[in-house]
Amino acid sequence: MKETETSTHRSACPINVLLETLGDTWSLLIVRDMMFFGRRTYNEFLNAGEKIATNILSNRLHRLETVGIIEKRRDSTDARKYIYRLTDKGIDLAPMLVEIILWSARHEKTDAPPEVIEEMSANRDAYVSKIRENWRTSSQS
Amino acid sequence: MKETETSTHRSACPINVLLETLGDTWSLLIVRDMMFFGRRTYNEFLNAGEKIATNILSNRLHRLETVGIIEKRRDSTDARKYIYRLTDKGIDLAPMLVEIILWSARHEKTDAPPEVIEEMSANRDAYVSKIRENWRTSSQS
DNA sequence: CCGGATCCGTTTCGATACTG
DNA sequence: CAGTATCGAAACGGATCCGG
């Protein structure tokens, strides 16, 4: 047993609380891949351009499941596969991700399409609603 | 040389961009300490409850300065001291921090006062404006 | 005293090879 | 397909020392 839970109990400061669950290099990228790119299986995450190692991916998926941000199910059509989905708690990270994207777009060079940034910026709440709606309709499968 | 810059160049995805500058255990806590608790000197950060090591603190302050999130000045009254302040880019992290705080408050037990959460939640934009305003008036010293 | 650099043991991360 | 096992690399953290 190597990649087990790390229960570093700092304070209950809200920032700390989030850092404990998502404060590593990969967890947030996995959430992004699910929320914005619709990735849902182990191999889709593996081949997602960022080259995460298999043990790290495995560990982070377990952790995200443990803290209730994602859930794991068997594929209903292909019994060999697992499907990872965001829970409500996970989808609720959308406002934060949107703010991250907007901040990065304002202050650094990013590859986000300007028209998307424009849309997010003009009406954040509507954009978040759209993410939630997209999620609801697509996750029925 | 141990604690030098890590220029891991991933992609220009906005999420990655932020992770590269704030994606470690401490940087965001330092920003929080400045923004919400008004901490401004090396020793105020050191004794801020979370027990950061001196070498790590020193390294993170340099990094945050390098990426333009904070700036360092000599104290005008005590020449031995340095004052660290958020730049505009740093203060602009406020919307993101507010969303982090709100998410944590909704889904985990935190020590944030309920009335503050209430206020943030009811009108995020006004709250962010208030943070900016507080910052402008207090940083004249 | 203040800010910070250096040394060094410990913990965690991560790339690769391998497996049920 | 979805993971473990291994092992070197990097980050962390405590103690200590140093210049002003």
Side-chain angles (χ1 to χ4, degrees):
Chain A
M1 267 211 161
K2 272 290 184 59
E3 308 280 356
T4 27
E5 303 311 313
T6 46
S7 59
T8 33
H9 264 310
R10 298 164 173 286
S11 74
C13 164
I15 308 289
N16 262 330
V17 166
L18 181 120
L19 284 176
E20 277 176 27
T21 58
L22 295 169
D24 71 279
T25 315
W26 295 107
S27 298
L28 204 58
L29 294 180
I30 294 173
V31 171
R32 176 208 62 183
D33 282 347
M34 301 182 91
M35 192 178 295
F36 292 104
F37 301 126
R39 299 201 175 102
R40 306 191 303 171
T41 66
Y42 190 89
N43 272 295
E44 284 174 0
F45 297 125
L46 257 194
N47 306 319
E50 253 100 17
K51 300 306 158 204
I52 183 172
T54 60
N55 56 342
I56 306 295
L57 175 58
S58 174
N59 176 254
R60 295 308 130 85
L61 288 173
H62 281 300
R63 277 184 16 185
L64 288 171
E65 193 184 358
T66 301
V67 298
I69 287 176
I70 68 175
E71 58 188 18
K72 179 184 185 177
R73 292 185 184 178
R74 272 192 190 283
D75 190 338
S76 51
T77 62
D78 185 347
R80 299 171 311 177
K81 283 187 176 178
Y82 291 103
I83 301 291
Y84 296 92
R85 299 169 59 242
L86 289 168
T87 61
D88 288 342
K89 180 175 172 181
I91 303 165
D92 203 27
L93 287 164
M96 191 194 75
L97 284 172
V98 166
E99 293 300 342
I100 289 174
I101 292 168
L102 288 175
W103 182 87
S104 299
R106 282 193 298 269
H107 297 285
E108 314 272 357
K109 298 193 194 323
T110 74
D111 61 8
E115 66 271 18
V116 173
I117 298 299
E118 196 65 39
E119 188 188 349
M120 278 189 188
S121 181
N123 196 337
R124 294 195 294 279
D125 290 344
Y127 198 89
V128 169
S129 299
K130 215 176 74 172
I131 293 173
R132 288 188 208 274
E133 190 54 40
N134 284 348
W135 188 263
R136 225 185 330 269
T137 54
S138 73
S139 66
Q140 308 295 35
S141 50
Chain B
M1 266 216 164
K2 273 291 187 56
E3 309 279 357
T4 28
E5 303 311 314
T6 46
S7 60
T8 34
H9 263 311
R10 298 164 174 285
S11 72
C13 164
I15 308 288
N16 262 330
V17 166
L18 180 122
L19 284 176
E20 276 176 28
T21 57
L22 295 168
D24 70 278
T25 314
W26 296 108
S27 297
L28 203 57
L29 294 179
I30 294 173
V31 171
R32 174 208 62 184
D33 282 347
M34 301 182 92
M35 191 178 295
F36 293 103
F37 301 126
R39 300 198 174 105
R40 306 191 303 171
T41 67
Y42 191 88
N43 271 296
E44 284 174 0
F45 297 125
L46 257 194
N47 306 319
E50 254 98 18
K51 300 306 160 207
I52 184 172
T54 62
N55 54 347
I56 306 293
L57 175 58
S58 175
N59 175 256
R60 293 309 128 87
L61 288 173
H62 282 299
R63 279 185 14 187
L64 287 172
E65 194 182 1
T66 301
V67 298
I69 288 175
I70 68 175
E71 58 188 19
K72 177 183 184 176
R73 291 184 185 177
R74 265 188 199 287
D75 190 338
S76 51
T77 62
D78 185 347
R80 298 171 311 175
K81 282 188 179 180
Y82 291 101
I83 301 291
Y84 296 93
R85 300 171 56 244
L86 290 168
T87 61
D88 288 341
K89 180 175 172 181
I91 303 165
D92 201 27
L93 286 164
M96 191 194 76
L97 284 172
V98 166
E99 293 300 341
I100 290 175
I101 292 168
L102 288 175
W103 182 86
S104 298
R106 282 194 297 270
H107 296 286
E108 313 274 355
K109 297 192 193 325
T110 75
D111 60 9
E115 66 271 17
V116 174
I117 298 299
E118 196 66 38
E119 187 187 351
M120 278 190 188
S121 179
N123 196 338
R124 294 195 292 279
D125 290 343
Y127 198 89
V128 169
S129 298
K130 215 175 74 174
I131 293 174
R132 289 188 207 275
E133 190 54 40
N134 284 347
W135 189 263
R136 225 183 332 268
T137 55
S138 74
S139 66
Q140 308 296 35
S141 49

